[in-house]
Amino acid sequence: MIVLDLKCDSDHYFEGWFAGSEAFQHQRQSGEITCPVCDSKQITRVLSPVAIRRHSAPTAPTPPEPTLPEKWKRVVDFIQQHCEDVGTDFAKEA
């Protein structure tokens, strides 16, 4: 099911619901769609920013957020692997 913004040749705007683009084209060409204001059968489709969809590949489920103790463990592990403990000689080392 799609919703399209439509316009007649007298600039009356309205919306129509269709099974798909092909259904809209078929109904327009056969004169089944008429303007609800003036009954014109000269109907065109107009752009609708609401109807624009982005198609993207399905994403993998995101892993659960680590708990605070797990985060702290990662910080401690990083410090132990990448830093040097200079003990009481910090002032001299700096």
Side-chain angles (χ1 to χ4, degrees):
M1 181 68 60
I2 62 170
V3 179
L4 300 177
D5 288 332
L6 307 172
K7 178 180 89 164
C8 74
D9 57 345
S10 297
D11 285 340
H12 298 128
Y13 290 84
F14 59 100
E15 114 184 343
W17 292 62
F18 303 92
S21 295
E22 298 81 17
F24 164 71
Q25 291 296 337
H26 173 73
Q27 290 179 27
R28 186 174 65 86
Q29 290 171 354
S30 64
E32 296 176 43
I33 305 171
T34 59
C35 174
V37 178
C38 66
D39 290 327
S40 171
K41 293 185 179 191
Q42 300 299 316
I43 307 299
T44 56
R45 183 177 171 184
V46 293
L47 291 177
S48 172
V50 177
I52 297 173
R53 291 188 291 174
R54 290 190 176 160
H55 294 281
S56 59
T59 57
T62 56
E65 184 71 24
T67 63
L68 190 57
E70 291 170 336
K71 289 180 182 179
W72 277 113
K73 182 173 180 340
R74 288 182 186 176
V75 170
V76 170
D77 289 345
F78 180 86
I79 291 171
Q80 288 175 343
Q81 291 175 8
H82 296 93
C83 300
E84 179 185 343
D85 183 6
V86 294
T88 57
D89 294 331
F90 176 75
K92 290 179 189 174
E93 291 289 327

